[in-house]
Amino acid sequence: MTKAGSKGGNLRDKLDGNELDLSLSDLNEVPVKELAALPKATILDLSCNKLTTLPSDFCGLTHLVKLDLSKNKLQQLPADFGRLVNLQHLDLLNNRLVTLPVSFARLKNLKWLDLKDNPLDPVLAKVAGDCLDEKQCKQCANKVLQHMKAVQADQERERQRRVEVEREAEKKREAKQRAKEAQERELRKREKAEEKERRRKEYDALKAAKREQEKKPKKEANQAPKSKSGSRPRKPPPRKHTRSWAVLKLLLLLLLFCVAGGLVACRVTELQQQPLCTSVNTIYDNAVQGLRRHEILQWVLQTDSQQ
């Protein structure tokens, strides 16, 4: 048998005023849905059953004021057990509980508690003490509530510490990430500047090459003959036969000087009686006669005019 009601009929039949007795019902599961339908049942007795756990929705039975769970096989209470804020009397005698949920500290109305015959944690067992009479059970409730509040505060501090540690770790991660991003931005900025400098140098080199190419035609133009409109044309290089004729005239001139010198020597000096001078004088006389006839002179003038 698992649920009350399948053996003894409807739970309402067991309700006596505000008390509902489900003890000794061979229960291994709490009929939470049926109990929730009986908000008048503020006193619930589930003792002497086979309960090993309580479902989480059991904590929704906030109308309970007195609860007897003694002599079951409960190994733990639901984490939200503290939602039973109206609970004043709680009997957990002879179960298998080791610890209590931290939410137990929220049972601010709890006045009576029995935790005897449970394998409690030594610290919790020492705090709970015995529950042999009404006074001890009330002291147990008070001391356990104070202890669970301290445990809750310690856990809250530990949670805050972990949150703070995590926050500091997150700040460090964010700072590290920001530093990394700043370093990456600086690297990209430096690479961009280097790329810009490289492109600028390439641009300057192209401009310099272009200016150099523009200078070459100007130099060639300066070296070329000036135009007809403003400058004298260059003289053509002298022809080879003109230079040869000048040399020939020079040689003839020298020859004439020599001949004139010899002629003077033959006609004026004592050498005129020599055979060579006689011949020279004869040639001179013939030349003078020829010049008089202008034949040689006309020939020279014609040659010059042809040149």
Side-chain angles (χ1 to χ4, degrees):
M1 182 176 180
T2 61
K3 289 187 179 181
S6 59
K7 178 180 179 180
N10 196 301
L11 290 182
R12 293 183 182 275
D13 297 337
K14 294 180 177 293
L15 184 62
D16 182 10
N18 64 340
E19 296 184 17
L20 180 62
D21 188 1
L22 297 178
S23 63
L24 301 170
S25 298
D26 200 24
L27 295 176
N28 55 26
E29 183 178 345
V30 180
V32 177
K33 186 175 181 181
E34 290 82 354
L35 291 174
L38 298 173
K40 292 183 179 180
T42 59
I43 300 175
L44 177 62
D45 188 354
L46 290 170
S47 63
C48 302
N49 282 291
K50 300 177 180 180
L51 302 176
T52 57
T53 59
L54 297 177
S56 59
D57 54 354
F58 181 85
C59 302
L61 303 176
T62 57
H63 59 277
L64 294 177
V65 175
K66 183 177 181 179
L67 177 62
D68 189 350
L69 291 169
S70 62
K71 298 180 182 179
N72 276 282
K73 300 178 181 179
L74 295 173
Q75 298 179 4
Q76 62 181 7
L77 298 179
D80 289 338
F81 195 79
R83 290 175 59 193
L84 302 175
V85 292
N86 293 313
L87 201 60
Q88 299 179 15
H89 185 110
L90 178 60
D91 193 345
L92 293 171
L93 171 72
N94 195 10
N95 275 279
R96 300 177 182 178
L97 297 173
V98 177
T99 60
L100 297 175
V102 177
S103 66
F104 201 91
R106 294 163 56 189
L107 301 177
K108 58 182 180 179
N109 292 314
L110 189 65
K111 307 298 182 183
W112 193 99
L113 176 63
D114 189 357
L115 286 172
K116 291 193 308 295
D117 300 330
N118 280 282
L120 296 174
D121 175 80
V123 176
L124 180 59
K126 183 177 180 180
V127 170
D130 292 327
C131 184
L132 301 176
D133 54 33
E134 187 75 9
K135 183 178 179 180
Q136 289 182 344
C137 292
K138 287 183 178 180
Q139 289 178 346
C140 176
N142 183 56
K143 290 180 180 179
V144 169
L145 281 178
Q146 295 300 322
H147 173 72
M148 296 309 298
K149 287 179 181 179
V151 171
Q152 185 182 44
D154 289 343
Q155 289 192 359
E156 180 63 20
R157 283 192 294 271
E158 179 62 20
R159 188 187 69 83
Q160 290 291 342
R161 188 191 68 81
R162 289 196 300 268
V163 169
E164 188 64 25
V165 169
E166 181 61 27
R167 187 180 292 114
E168 290 297 324
E170 182 65 22
K171 287 182 180 179
K172 290 181 180 180
R173 286 194 294 269
E174 290 177 355
K176 186 177 180 180
Q177 182 65 24
R178 287 195 297 270
K180 182 179 178 182
E181 291 175 355
Q183 185 178 6
E184 291 176 351
R185 285 195 300 271
E186 186 63 25
L187 179 60
R188 288 194 297 270
K189 184 178 179 181
R190 186 164 59 249
E191 290 177 348
K192 187 177 180 180
E194 291 175 354
E195 177 65 16
K196 184 177 181 180
E197 181 64 17
R198 184 186 64 80
R199 294 173 61 186
R200 187 188 65 80
K201 289 181 179 179
E202 290 180 353
Y203 176 79
D204 292 343
L206 289 174
K207 293 288 289 184
K210 186 176 180 181
R211 286 194 299 269
E212 192 65 25
Q213 290 178 354
E214 291 174 351
K215 287 180 181 179
K216 288 181 179 179
K218 292 182 179 180
K219 291 181 180 179
E220 293 176 355
N222 292 335
Q223 294 174 357
K226 294 183 180 180
S227 61
K228 295 181 179 179
S229 60
S231 61
R232 295 172 57 188
R234 292 176 59 189
K235 293 182 179 182
R239 292 176 295 178
K240 290 184 179 180
H241 68 272
T242 303
R243 288 197 296 267
S244 300
W245 179 246
V247 173
L248 181 59
K249 287 197 292 183
L250 180 59
L251 292 176
L252 289 174
L253 184 59
L254 291 175
L255 181 59
L256 287 176
F257 281 135
C258 292
V259 171
L263 181 61
V264 171
C266 289
R267 295 186 67 87
V268 177
T269 64
E270 297 176 351
L271 296 176
Q272 58 184 344
Q273 301 298 328
Q274 295 294 327
L276 179 61
C277 286
T278 301
S279 300
V280 169
N281 289 329
T282 301
I283 294 171
Y284 174 76
D285 293 336
N286 293 331
V288 170
Q289 293 177 2
L291 286 173
R292 288 175 180 174
R293 291 193 297 268
H294 302 288
E295 295 177 356
I296 297 175
L297 181 59
Q298 291 177 0
W299 176 77
V300 172
L301 292 175
Q302 289 176 359
T303 303
D304 290 338
S305 62
Q306 290 177 356
Q307 291 177 356

